[in-house]
Amino acid sequence: MPNINPNTRVSAEQTQANVESYLALKQIADYVPINPENSIEAATLCYEELLAAEEAIIHADNAAAAARDKLRHARWKLQNVIVGAKGEVKVRYGLDSNEVAAIGLKKKSERYKPSKSKKVAGGA
């Protein structure tokens, strides 16, 4: 019986059972279906389509992993360059320069300066 809703997902277990049934069906020498949609040839085409789809998923996963690795590498390269550039801007223009503020760092004069707390004499 065909799947009632083709939008529902067929589980991996059911797919494996279907593959096993297909392989067993191929071994039945005198199988001749009444409905040609249920022939061994039709099942073979579906099985080959399944294998091609699985192969495409593997290739897509590998490509996605390679793209993620390339992205990670590019992010680290940019990180290293920017950290080095920030250091050079601080050294070249000074810690209190507008250039330091322009690259997203705080000027030395804008930093919070903690005040010393006064101790209360004769405390409890």
Side-chain angles (χ1 to χ4, degrees):
M1 170 164 70
N3 192 355
I4 294 173
N5 184 356
N7 294 326
T8 59
R9 186 173 182 204
V10 178
S11 69
E13 294 82 16
Q14 182 61 50
T15 300
Q16 183 59 38
N18 290 339
V19 168
E20 290 170 7
S21 295
Y22 161 71
L23 295 174
L25 184 65
K26 284 182 23 176
Q27 298 302 313
I28 301 174
D30 59 346
Y31 174 71
V32 179
I34 296 171
N35 185 348
E37 291 180 1
N38 300 329
S39 68
I40 293 176
E41 293 80 15
T44 300
L45 289 174
C46 292
Y47 179 69
E48 289 171 354
E49 184 179 345
L50 173 69
L51 292 178
E54 288 176 344
E55 183 178 343
I57 287 291
I58 290 169
H59 292 308
D61 287 345
N62 290 342
R68 281 190 300 273
D69 191 46
K70 187 174 182 177
L71 174 64
R72 181 190 55 79
H73 182 68
R75 285 179 174 168
W76 271 110
K77 281 177 66 174
L78 178 62
Q79 169 74 11
N80 290 335
V81 169
I82 295 301
V83 167
K86 284 180 178 181
E88 288 197 25
V89 167
K90 287 191 280 186
V91 169
R92 184 175 182 115
Y93 298 102
L95 296 175
D96 203 33
S97 66
N98 290 332
E99 289 81 4
V100 168
I103 61 171
L105 299 175
K106 283 194 173 197
K107 291 181 177 183
K108 185 176 181 180
S109 62
E110 294 175 350
R111 293 190 182 273
Y112 173 73
K113 295 179 182 134
S115 60
K116 294 183 180 179
S117 60
K118 297 181 181 179
K119 294 189 178 183
V120 178

